[in-house]
Amino acid sequence: MDDTQYIDLASRAFGAGVVAVNDEFFAAADHLLSPARPTHSTRTFDHRGQVYDGWETRRRRERGNDWVIIRLGAPGVVRGIDIDTSFFTGNFPPYASVDGCSLPGYPDATQLKAATWTPLVSRSALSGDTQNLFTVDNPKRFTHVRLTIYPDGGVARLRVHGDVVPDPDLLPEVFDVAAAEHGGRVTACSNMFYGHPGNMLMPGLAASMGDGWETSRRRDDGNDWVTVQLAAPAVLSLADLDTRHFKGNAPGRASLRGADARSGSVDDPTEWFDLIEPVPLAPDTPHRFRVAAARAVTHVRLDIFPDGGMARLRLLGRPDAAALDAMRERYESLR
């Protein structure tokens, strides 16, 4: 499983949360959802023992197992799961399983415990202090997952990689159609030496220069670029090109082009048309530009000249009627 092509549906960055957990004596289950990599400092103790950046339950003295139920921040189709046991060596669970369910609204712990759960990862052996990766083959949309560990122990992170499938009825008429939380995703990129371009589509403001897309320094006459498949075909009205935190390495200029894959191939250069012609960019600055093109697009290409970093890319657009019908049809088929 190549997790770089999917987003973490269970990331706290999208609003994922722990709804219920049976035990978190040594370390809270909320740590499972942190978008940051796990860390560890040896011989760091509090009143309950060694401090761990993960979820850790007490040692069982009776039969049974431990579990946690998580509300996905971005409901969708699960493609792969990473049960990361980093830094858990003599206290990791020997086995684990993951199940999923789909419920409308905001169910509480009682409703979730009574729900019908679908196996995503059957009971499988785990290794300590490593990422345990599992491929998931289930085409349905899920809103919650349940991690069960056998019998007890510690897990640093739970990553639920997949495709976002939003509820079309909960989307406004105009929204950020490039946002990962709505289903926007990067499909191609010239260079991502210092930072993955998918960072540009994440919620909120970039926390630092490392929380954006940054390329290596070019030593030729070319330029760097990234293409984004929008959450839905839409007519764009506003583009936000944010170079926040990039001070000595912001691009000098940028442009946007669009294409509609419903009427032609995005691999054909003649199918692309200008949305924003090359414009100067300032360092450490959010830039907003009106988009005058009246044609709907399914894909957008951001070109930066010649190289550098971009913190966020926001594209406000209005999906057309055909796009909304297609979104609803897909949503219903995956429920």
Side-chain angles (χ1 to χ4, degrees):
M1 179 194 68
D2 179 10
D3 60 16
T4 61
Q5 64 179 311
Y6 301 114
I7 72 161
D8 179 9
L9 306 176
S11 173
R12 189 71 178 171
F14 293 111
V18 171
V19 182
V21 59
N22 76 311
D23 186 283
E24 47 187 347
F25 184 88
F26 286 116
D30 285 308
H31 293 143
L32 290 169
L33 313 181
S34 172
R37 291 182 178 274
T39 61
H40 186 66
S41 179
T42 59
R43 301 195 63 77
T44 303
F45 296 94
D46 64 11
H47 63 285
R48 293 204 171 183
Q50 170 67 45
V51 175
Y52 277 96
D53 182 16
W55 170 46
E56 186 182 9
T57 68
R58 74 191 77 199
R59 301 191 187 207
R60 280 190 164 269
R61 301 309 185 201
E62 68 284 332
R63 297 177 65 86
N65 49 67
D66 293 323
W67 53 266
V68 57
I69 295 175
I70 293 166
R71 180 191 68 252
L72 297 178
V77 178
V78 180
R79 304 298 186 183
I81 288 177
D82 176 5
I83 302 175
D84 187 345
T85 57
S86 290
F87 305 111
F88 288 97
T89 52
N91 51 351
F92 68 92
Y95 301 94
S97 64
V98 180
D99 305 290
C101 76
S102 183
L103 292 179
Y106 309 95
D108 59 20
T110 301
Q111 293 169 305
L112 286 164
K113 289 176 185 177
T116 299
W117 290 86
T118 300
L120 300 177
V121 176
S122 60
R123 176 169 168 158
S124 302
L126 299 183
S127 297
D129 195 24
T130 192
Q131 292 175 272
N132 296 270
L133 305 177
F134 302 93
T135 299
V136 176
D137 184 17
N138 188 304
K140 294 301 183 180
R141 175 185 186 267
F142 294 98
T143 60
H144 297 76
V145 295
R146 179 180 63 196
L147 169 65
T148 304
I149 57 175
Y150 306 89
D152 54 41
V155 176
R157 297 289 188 270
L158 177 69
R159 309 295 192 197
V160 181
H161 299 291
D163 298 316
V164 177
V165 182
D167 183 345
D169 290 335
L170 299 181
L171 294 173
E173 292 184 3
V174 176
F175 63 95
D176 180 4
V177 289
E181 62 185 315
H182 296 145
R185 64 188 185 92
V186 170
T187 57
C189 177
S190 62
N191 185 292
M192 49 181 172
F193 188 87
Y194 289 113
H196 195 282
N199 292 337
M200 294 191 299
L201 312 184
M202 294 297 287
L205 302 177
S208 67
M209 194 169 67
D211 189 23
W213 170 46
E214 185 182 2
T215 71
S216 56
R217 300 190 187 205
R218 293 193 75 95
R219 305 305 187 190
D220 55 27
D221 295 329
N223 73 279
D224 288 317
W225 54 269
V226 61
T227 58
V228 176
Q229 180 177 328
L230 304 182
V235 176
L236 302 182
S237 57
L238 190 73
D240 187 344
L241 279 58
D242 189 349
T243 61
R244 196 181 315 262
H245 304 299
F246 291 97
K247 299 176 181 179
N249 50 354
R253 294 179 300 143
S255 68
L256 282 179
R257 286 184 286 168
D260 190 342
R262 299 173 297 179
S263 58
S265 172
V266 295
D267 295 325
D268 182 353
T270 64
E271 292 293 328
W272 293 84
F273 58 92
D274 289 336
L275 297 172
I276 298 176
E277 295 185 353
V279 291
L281 296 183
D284 193 28
T285 301
H287 307 78
R288 291 180 179 171
F289 303 99
R290 286 287 178 185
V291 179
R295 297 166 56 186
V297 295
T298 61
H299 293 71
V300 166
R301 170 166 162 152
L302 168 66
D303 281 84
I304 58 174
F305 304 93
D307 55 32
M310 187 76 66
R312 292 291 186 268
L313 172 66
R314 309 291 189 211
L315 300 171
L316 295 186
R318 182 189 300 271
D320 56 31
L324 288 174
D325 288 343
M327 289 182 70
R328 290 192 180 96
E329 182 177 348
R330 181 176 183 235
Y331 173 75
E332 291 298 332
S333 71
L334 296 176
R335 295 180 63 185

